[in-house]
Amino acid sequence: METNEILTVRKAEYVQGYTLRILFSNGVEKLVDFSGELTKGICRKLKNLDYFKRFTIDPFTIDWNNEIGFDPEYLYENGIPA
């Protein structure tokens, strides 16, 4: 990934558990497991699997009810190749 490229999330779909398949603006697709985030602050809301599955894509990243979002670079770095 080039340093001058602005990375965004283009598409995301639920896979299983707390894992999403995410397509980034650079064409790379990764699996991101959010289970490690479920004990941190407001992210505790993501423990509710129905809530977790109701994410949307804003212009840059994944969003849960305008309350929870993750930096695309963080998602990219913490994902594994899909």
Side-chain angles (χ1 to χ4, degrees), residues 2-69:
E2 292 185 29
T3 56
N4 63 351
E5 178 182 350
I6 297 173
L7 190 65
T8 61
V9 172
R10 294 288 171 96
K11 182 180 175 185
E13 63 183 19
Y14 176 75
V15 177
Q16 67 178 12
Y18 295 100
T19 301
L20 300 180
R21 179 185 309 270
I22 301 173
L23 175 64
F24 294 91
S25 56
N26 62 359
V28 174
E29 193 172 69
K30 293 197 174 192
L31 295 173
V32 180
D33 181 0
F34 290 85
S35 59
E37 303 297 325
L38 303 178
T39 60
K40 301 175 184 175
I42 195 165
C43 292
R44 289 183 183 116
K45 287 185 167 192
L46 297 177
K47 282 184 186 179
N48 178 323
L49 203 49
D50 288 330
Y51 183 86
F52 180 80
K53 292 178 182 179
R54 287 192 309 263
F55 63 88
T56 59
I57 306 296
D58 71 15
F60 299 100
T61 194
I62 298 167
D63 178 74
W64 283 272
N65 200 35
N66 289 324
E67 294 179 309
I68 303 170

